Amino acid sequence: MSVNEADGFLRLAYIQEVEQRSGMRGWCLMDNHTIRVIRETAAFLTSVSPPFGLILMGKPGNGKTTLLKALGRAVAIVAGQYPQWDERETRLSFFAARDLQQDCLERRLLLVRRSLPLLAIDDLGQEEEMRSFGNSLDPVRDILDYRSDHHIFTLASTNLTPDAVSGRYGQRTADRLHEMMRRVIFDDINYRRRQ
């Protein structure tokens, strides 16, 4: 697939996501910022030897979650053209980091979720650190470390800056994220305030 084809699928999926979330058809901001981040994402998806993940970084309200969900739609659109592909292998599993953190305190769910073929984690850094019998628990960090060790494709979004990631997850996990994920840095735009 070419960059232009991937860009087209992503734009379509992005428009569908915005229309679904807003409840209004024909209403979608496709400004220069949105075009740039979609194009960077398409270039990542079609590169010859990309890292095995993508992280969308920027302040709240600038379209990271929308693009993350649009990626799930685009994967479904493309996979639908190839009936021989196994749906379990091509479905993007989407979780808010806060929910993933809470769910994965149960060991069985942690083992299942960390191994999902396509995982998207929204709002990294929004989950609270937890303690059990005085021990620090951080299932999201454990999932990220596992996926890095096993080279499993992972998508994420965060409001954290690259430096703040190491403050939240520690230098070891921050280094792994840097190695395993291409960064797409979003402009300081807030679409929520425009509505």
Side-chain angles (χ1 to χ4, degrees):
M1 177 180 295
S2 73
V3 174
N4 289 337
E5 289 171 317
D7 186 89
F9 280 120
L10 277 174
R11 284 184 192 213
L12 174 62
Y14 189 89
I15 289 168
Q16 290 173 343
E17 185 62 34
V18 168
E19 287 178 349
Q20 180 181 335
R21 293 177 81 183
S22 70
M24 296 171 14
R25 292 192 54 76
W27 181 88
C28 179
L29 275 177
M30 197 57 75
D31 58 10
N32 288 336
H33 167 259
T34 303
I35 291 167
R36 178 187 63 80
V37 296
I38 288 174
R39 188 68 175 186
E40 283 184 38
T41 303
F44 160 76
L45 293 171
T46 58
S47 60
V48 176
S49 57
F52 47 96
L54 180 74
I55 187 164
L56 310 176
M57 305 180 95
K59 293 189 177 179
N62 59 10
K64 295 179 305 296
T65 299
T66 302
L67 183 54
L68 205 56
K69 289 184 175 185
L71 276 161
R73 283 180 183 271
V75 167
I77 291 168
V78 172
Q81 296 180 4
Y82 299 93
Q84 70 272 24
W85 287 2
D86 184 344
E87 181 190 340
R88 292 169 296 181
E89 299 294 317
T90 59
R91 195 177 108 253
L92 182 66
S93 299
F94 186 95
F95 296 96
R98 183 175 286 149
D99 296 339
L100 193 60
Q101 182 88 330
Q102 193 65 43
D103 291 351
C104 289
L105 288 175
E106 185 180 327
R107 180 91 177 133
R108 180 184 61 79
L109 284 177
L110 173 66
L111 296 175
V112 168
R113 301 245 166 95
R114 75 180 188 181
S115 300
L116 290 167
L118 299 173
L119 176 64
I121 306 171
D122 189 35
D123 278 336
L124 278 179
Q126 294 298 309
E127 71 280 9
E128 295 178 21
E129 195 170 330
M130 305 175 130
R131 294 206 166 278
S132 176
F133 301 104
N135 297 317
S136 177
L137 301 174
D138 198 341
V140 169
R141 180 177 45 218
D142 295 343
I143 288 170
L144 292 170
D145 287 345
Y146 179 88
R147 294 179 78 80
S148 173
D149 289 345
H150 293 85
H151 299 242
I152 305 172
F153 188 76
T154 308
L155 301 169
S157 73
T158 185
N159 297 332
L160 299 173
T161 64
D163 290 338
V165 169
S166 62
R168 169 60 182 90
Y169 294 103
Q171 193 60 51
R172 178 175 180 258
T173 300
D175 288 346
R176 287 176 168 204
L177 287 176
H178 180 73
E179 177 184 16
M180 78 185 268
M181 296 181 155
R182 174 151 317 140
R183 294 179 186 161
V184 175
I185 308 295
F186 281 60
D187 295 341
D188 188 10
I189 293 173
N190 190 322
Y191 292 123
R192 293 180 191 142
R193 291 190 193 135
R194 289 183 179 186
Q195 298 174 8

